[in-house]
Amino acid sequence: GFFQSYAVEVDIKDASNATCLYANWMMRFLITYESNNGDYKTTTLNLSSSATHNGSVCGNDTQAALVAVQFGEGHSWSINITKNNETYQGDFMTLTYNTNDTAVFPDAKRKGPVTVFMKDPAGPVQLNTVFVCHNSFVIEAENITQIFWNVTVQAFVQNGTVSKKETRCPADRPTSAPTVPPTTANATSAPTTTASPAPTAPTPPKPVENPDTGNYSLKSGNKTCFLATVGLQLNVSQDKPLLININPKTTVADGACGNTTATLKLNDGNSTLIGF
């Protein structure tokens, strides 16, 4: 499975009770924090079933739209969406998490709300078009990793009706189909004639190559505190087995070191996030 979390649906109405902003999405947060004994731990903050969206506004030509969500024990998340000529675009996201929530941060050294700002990396979307992203994508800032999936958003909705015209995120866009080598099940041969050579044996499928070895490290101040030399291959069980090699040339290492624990996060830039 992917992630288990609650979906959030926000349907904002204007003064005439017509939909002006619609959003439906799922998200979770990975947060690294310092514990009372000086260790750095990574916890997971999920949306709750009782999430509210107080303070969300439609926006207009001069005022940004705002999607604001409150959930759990004093946590909140919001995104500003601005309109520019014929497009709209997410501006920045704000996450406030409350370390007084002992269920999520059982031994946090710092107590109280912490606010983090993140730039929305998505590009502009044409007006009267809905942005859709079913596959997961990741946004990182400081000690926060945000993971989104099953996203449907349209700001500045026209005539109160969410558009059927979609703009898909890069993770959803189809790639060119790989060439499938012939097998005994799908191989075909030309009819045998005196002028035709005998059919050749099917070409066996090409095995997946071993992953390249990457060297990953973390620093605490000027000192290296974490070293990993490893080749990584993911075997994903779906309808058909899927093997994914992690490319160290495009993978970024992040994380933190504590007195007795360390966290290494590897992000390959293709929505694959691996944590150790």
Short mmCIF file of all heavy atoms in Angstrom, two decimals, residues 27-31 45 47 69 71 74-79 92-98 105 113-118 141 143-146 148:
data_model
loop_
_atom_site.label_atom_id
_atom_site.label_comp_id
_atom_site.label_asym_id
_atom_site.label_seq_id
_atom_site.Cartn_x
_atom_site.Cartn_y
_atom_site.Cartn_z
N MET A 27 -2.60 14.19 2.22
CA MET A 27 -1.21 14.57 2.50
C MET A 27 -0.81 14.07 3.87
O MET A 27 -1.65 13.76 4.72
CB MET A 27 -1.03 16.09 2.43
CG MET A 27 -1.76 16.88 3.48
SD MET A 27 -1.47 18.68 3.29
CE MET A 27 -2.58 19.33 4.55
N ARG A 28 0.48 13.96 4.05
CA ARG A 28 1.06 13.66 5.36
C ARG A 28 2.41 14.36 5.45
O ARG A 28 2.97 14.79 4.45
CB ARG A 28 1.21 12.16 5.58
CG ARG A 28 2.16 11.49 4.63
CD ARG A 28 2.68 10.14 5.09
NE ARG A 28 1.80 9.38 5.94
CZ ARG A 28 2.07 8.16 6.38
NH1 ARG A 28 3.18 7.56 5.99
NH2 ARG A 28 1.25 7.51 7.16
N PHE A 29 2.92 14.45 6.68
CA PHE A 29 4.15 15.18 6.93
C PHE A 29 5.13 14.29 7.71
O PHE A 29 4.72 13.59 8.64
CB PHE A 29 3.88 16.45 7.75
CG PHE A 29 2.83 17.35 7.16
CD1 PHE A 29 1.50 17.21 7.54
CD2 PHE A 29 3.16 18.31 6.23
CE1 PHE A 29 0.51 18.02 7.00
CE2 PHE A 29 2.18 19.13 5.69
CZ PHE A 29 0.86 18.98 6.07
N LEU A 30 6.39 14.33 7.29
CA LEU A 30 7.48 13.72 8.06
C LEU A 30 8.25 14.87 8.69
O LEU A 30 8.78 15.73 7.98
CB LEU A 30 8.39 12.88 7.17
CG LEU A 30 7.72 11.77 6.36
CD1 LEU A 30 8.75 11.03 5.52
CD2 LEU A 30 6.96 10.81 7.26
N ILE A 31 8.33 14.89 10.02
CA ILE A 31 8.92 16.01 10.75
C ILE A 31 10.06 15.49 11.63
O ILE A 31 9.87 14.56 12.42
CB ILE A 31 7.86 16.71 11.63
CG1 ILE A 31 6.70 17.20 10.75
CG2 ILE A 31 8.48 17.86 12.41
CD1 ILE A 31 5.55 17.77 11.54
N LEU A 45 3.09 13.08 10.86
CA LEU A 45 1.88 13.85 11.20
C LEU A 45 0.86 13.64 10.09
O LEU A 45 1.11 14.00 8.94
CB LEU A 45 2.23 15.32 11.35
CG LEU A 45 1.07 16.29 11.65
CD1 LEU A 45 0.40 15.93 12.97
CD2 LEU A 45 1.56 17.73 11.67
N LEU A 47 -3.31 13.86 8.68
CA LEU A 47 -4.56 14.58 8.84
C LEU A 47 -5.54 13.76 9.66
O LEU A 47 -5.50 12.53 9.64
CB LEU A 47 -5.18 14.88 7.47
CG LEU A 47 -4.41 15.86 6.59
CD1 LEU A 47 -5.08 15.96 5.24
CD2 LEU A 47 -4.33 17.22 7.24
N VAL A 69 -6.45 24.74 6.45
CA VAL A 69 -6.94 23.51 7.08
C VAL A 69 -6.40 23.45 8.50
O VAL A 69 -5.22 23.71 8.74
CB VAL A 69 -6.49 22.26 6.30
CG1 VAL A 69 -6.98 20.99 6.99
CG2 VAL A 69 -6.99 22.31 4.87
N PHE A 71 -6.25 20.80 11.92
CA PHE A 71 -6.46 19.39 12.25
C PHE A 71 -5.66 19.02 13.50
O PHE A 71 -4.70 19.70 13.88
CB PHE A 71 -6.04 18.49 11.07
CG PHE A 71 -4.60 18.65 10.66
CD1 PHE A 71 -3.63 17.75 11.09
CD2 PHE A 71 -4.20 19.69 9.83
CE1 PHE A 71 -2.31 17.88 10.71
CE2 PHE A 71 -2.88 19.84 9.44
CZ PHE A 71 -1.92 18.93 9.89
N GLY A 74 -3.93 21.25 17.44
CA GLY A 74 -3.29 22.54 17.21
C GLY A 74 -2.42 22.62 15.98
O GLY A 74 -1.54 23.48 15.91
N HIS A 75 -2.64 21.73 14.98
CA HIS A 75 -1.87 21.77 13.74
C HIS A 75 -2.69 22.46 12.65
O HIS A 75 -3.92 22.37 12.62
CB HIS A 75 -1.51 20.35 13.29
CG HIS A 75 -0.97 19.48 14.38
ND1 HIS A 75 0.21 19.76 15.03
CD2 HIS A 75 -1.46 18.35 14.96
CE1 HIS A 75 0.44 18.83 15.95
NE2 HIS A 75 -0.57 17.97 15.93
N SER A 76 -2.01 23.11 11.72
CA SER A 76 -2.70 23.78 10.62
C SER A 76 -1.80 23.83 9.39
O SER A 76 -0.57 23.78 9.50
CB SER A 76 -3.15 25.19 11.01
OG SER A 76 -2.02 26.01 11.30
N TRP A 77 -2.44 23.92 8.23
CA TRP A 77 -1.72 24.01 6.95
C TRP A 77 -2.53 24.90 6.02
O TRP A 77 -3.76 24.88 6.05
CB TRP A 77 -1.57 22.62 6.34
CG TRP A 77 -0.90 22.60 5.00
CD1 TRP A 77 0.42 22.47 4.74
CD2 TRP A 77 -1.54 22.67 3.71
NE1 TRP A 77 0.67 22.47 3.39
CE2 TRP A 77 -0.53 22.59 2.72
CE3 TRP A 77 -2.87 22.80 3.30
CZ2 TRP A 77 -0.81 22.65 1.37
CZ3 TRP A 77 -3.15 22.87 1.94
CH2 TRP A 77 -2.12 22.78 0.99
N SER A 78 -1.82 25.69 5.19
CA SER A 78 -2.52 26.55 4.26
C SER A 78 -1.68 26.77 3.02
O SER A 78 -0.45 26.56 3.03
CB SER A 78 -2.85 27.91 4.90
OG SER A 78 -1.66 28.62 5.21
N ILE A 79 -2.34 27.19 1.93
CA ILE A 79 -1.66 27.55 0.70
C ILE A 79 -2.31 28.78 0.10
O ILE A 79 -3.54 28.87 0.05
CB ILE A 79 -1.65 26.38 -0.32
CG1 ILE A 79 -0.92 26.79 -1.60
CG2 ILE A 79 -3.06 25.92 -0.63
CD1 ILE A 79 -0.68 25.64 -2.57
N PHE A 92 2.80 30.11 -1.80
CA PHE A 92 3.58 29.47 -0.75
C PHE A 92 2.66 28.73 0.20
O PHE A 92 1.48 29.03 0.33
CB PHE A 92 4.44 30.50 0.02
CG PHE A 92 3.63 31.56 0.74
CD1 PHE A 92 3.20 31.37 2.04
CD2 PHE A 92 3.32 32.75 0.11
CE1 PHE A 92 2.46 32.34 2.69
CE2 PHE A 92 2.58 33.72 0.76
CZ PHE A 92 2.15 33.51 2.05
N MET A 93 3.22 27.72 0.85
CA MET A 93 2.51 26.91 1.83
C MET A 93 3.02 27.22 3.22
O MET A 93 4.20 27.53 3.40
CB MET A 93 2.70 25.41 1.54
CG MET A 93 2.30 24.98 0.15
SD MET A 93 2.73 23.25 -0.14
CE MET A 93 2.29 23.11 -1.88
N THR A 94 2.13 27.11 4.19
CA THR A 94 2.50 27.35 5.58
C THR A 94 2.03 26.17 6.43
O THR A 94 0.85 25.83 6.41
CB THR A 94 1.85 28.64 6.11
OG1 THR A 94 2.20 29.74 5.26
CG2 THR A 94 2.31 28.92 7.53
N LEU A 95 2.96 25.54 7.11
CA LEU A 95 2.62 24.46 8.05
C LEU A 95 2.96 24.92 9.46
O LEU A 95 4.07 25.37 9.73
CB LEU A 95 3.40 23.19 7.73
CG LEU A 95 3.32 22.08 8.80
CD1 LEU A 95 1.90 21.52 8.89
CD2 LEU A 95 4.32 20.98 8.54
N THR A 96 1.98 24.82 10.36
CA THR A 96 2.22 25.04 11.78
C THR A 96 1.91 23.74 12.52
O THR A 96 0.78 23.25 12.46
CB THR A 96 1.34 26.18 12.33
OG1 THR A 96 1.67 27.40 11.66
CG2 THR A 96 1.56 26.36 13.82
N TYR A 97 2.93 23.18 13.14
CA TYR A 97 2.72 21.96 13.94
C TYR A 97 2.99 22.26 15.41
O TYR A 97 3.83 23.09 15.74
CB TYR A 97 3.58 20.80 13.44
CG TYR A 97 5.07 21.02 13.48
CD1 TYR A 97 5.84 20.65 14.59
CD2 TYR A 97 5.74 21.59 12.39
CE1 TYR A 97 7.21 20.83 14.62
CE2 TYR A 97 7.11 21.80 12.42
CZ TYR A 97 7.84 21.41 13.53
OH TYR A 97 9.20 21.61 13.56
N ASN A 98 2.25 21.59 16.27
CA ASN A 98 2.28 21.88 17.70
C ASN A 98 2.97 20.73 18.43
O ASN A 98 2.43 19.63 18.52
CB ASN A 98 0.85 22.07 18.21
CG ASN A 98 0.83 22.48 19.67
OD1 ASN A 98 1.86 22.80 20.26
ND2 ASN A 98 -0.36 22.45 20.26
N PHE A 105 4.54 14.04 19.13
CA PHE A 105 5.86 14.45 19.60
C PHE A 105 5.96 14.08 21.09
O PHE A 105 5.85 14.95 21.96
CB PHE A 105 6.05 15.95 19.41
CG PHE A 105 5.80 16.44 18.02
CD1 PHE A 105 4.55 16.93 17.65
CD2 PHE A 105 6.80 16.39 17.05
CE1 PHE A 105 4.31 17.38 16.35
CE2 PHE A 105 6.57 16.83 15.76
CZ PHE A 105 5.32 17.32 15.41
N PRO A 113 3.86 25.77 19.25
CA PRO A 113 3.71 25.76 17.79
C PRO A 113 5.00 26.15 17.08
O PRO A 113 5.74 27.02 17.53
CB PRO A 113 2.61 26.79 17.55
CG PRO A 113 2.66 27.69 18.74
CD PRO A 113 3.10 26.85 19.90
N VAL A 114 5.25 25.49 15.94
CA VAL A 114 6.40 25.77 15.08
C VAL A 114 5.85 25.99 13.67
O VAL A 114 5.09 25.17 13.16
CB VAL A 114 7.42 24.62 15.08
CG1 VAL A 114 8.61 24.96 14.18
CG2 VAL A 114 7.89 24.31 16.49
N THR A 115 6.25 27.08 13.02
CA THR A 115 5.74 27.41 11.69
C THR A 115 6.86 27.33 10.66
O THR A 115 7.96 27.85 10.89
CB THR A 115 5.13 28.82 11.67
OG1 THR A 115 4.03 28.86 12.60
CG2 THR A 115 4.61 29.18 10.29
N VAL A 116 6.56 26.67 9.53
CA VAL A 116 7.52 26.50 8.44
C VAL A 116 6.85 26.95 7.14
O VAL A 116 5.68 26.61 6.88
CB VAL A 116 7.99 25.04 8.32
CG1 VAL A 116 8.97 24.88 7.16
CG2 VAL A 116 8.63 24.58 9.62
N PHE A 117 7.58 27.71 6.31
CA PHE A 117 7.07 28.19 5.02
C PHE A 117 7.75 27.42 3.90
O PHE A 117 8.95 27.14 3.96
CB PHE A 117 7.32 29.69 4.86
CG PHE A 117 6.65 30.53 5.90
CD1 PHE A 117 7.33 30.92 7.04
CD2 PHE A 117 5.33 30.94 5.75
CE1 PHE A 117 6.72 31.70 8.02
CE2 PHE A 117 4.70 31.71 6.71
CZ PHE A 117 5.40 32.09 7.85
N MET A 118 6.99 27.10 2.86
CA MET A 118 7.51 26.37 1.70
C MET A 118 6.96 26.97 0.42
O MET A 118 5.79 27.33 0.36
CB MET A 118 7.12 24.89 1.78
CG MET A 118 7.83 24.11 2.86
SD MET A 118 6.77 22.88 3.63
CE MET A 118 5.72 23.91 4.65
N ALA A 141 11.34 21.19 3.03
CA ALA A 141 11.84 22.47 3.52
C ALA A 141 12.28 22.30 4.96
O ALA A 141 11.53 21.74 5.78
CB ALA A 141 10.76 23.55 3.43
N ASN A 143 13.25 20.98 8.17
CA ASN A 143 13.14 19.62 8.73
C ASN A 143 11.82 18.96 8.39
O ASN A 143 11.41 18.00 9.05
CB ASN A 143 13.28 19.70 10.26
CG ASN A 143 12.20 20.56 10.89
OD1 ASN A 143 11.83 21.59 10.34
ND2 ASN A 143 11.69 20.15 12.04
N ILE A 144 11.14 19.44 7.34
CA ILE A 144 9.80 18.95 7.00
C ILE A 144 9.83 18.30 5.61
O ILE A 144 10.41 18.85 4.67
CB ILE A 144 8.77 20.10 6.99
CG1 ILE A 144 8.81 20.87 8.30
CG2 ILE A 144 7.37 19.55 6.73
CD1 ILE A 144 8.41 20.07 9.50
N THR A 145 9.18 17.15 5.49
CA THR A 145 8.91 16.54 4.20
C THR A 145 7.41 16.39 4.06
O THR A 145 6.77 15.74 4.89
CB THR A 145 9.57 15.15 4.08
OG1 THR A 145 10.98 15.29 4.19
CG2 THR A 145 9.24 14.52 2.73
N GLN A 146 6.83 17.05 3.05
CA GLN A 146 5.39 16.95 2.78
C GLN A 146 5.18 15.98 1.62
O GLN A 146 5.85 16.08 0.60
CB GLN A 146 4.81 18.30 2.40
CG GLN A 146 4.84 19.33 3.50
CD GLN A 146 4.02 20.56 3.13
OE1 GLN A 146 2.79 20.51 3.10
NE2 GLN A 146 4.69 21.65 2.82
N PHE A 148 2.16 14.52 -0.90
CA PHE A 148 0.81 14.74 -1.38
C PHE A 148 0.44 13.65 -2.39
O PHE A 148 1.30 13.18 -3.14
CB PHE A 148 0.69 16.10 -2.09
CG PHE A 148 0.98 17.29 -1.22
CD1 PHE A 148 2.29 17.72 -1.04
CD2 PHE A 148 -0.04 17.98 -0.60
CE1 PHE A 148 2.56 18.82 -0.25
CE2 PHE A 148 0.23 19.08 0.19
CZ PHE A 148 1.54 19.51 0.37
#
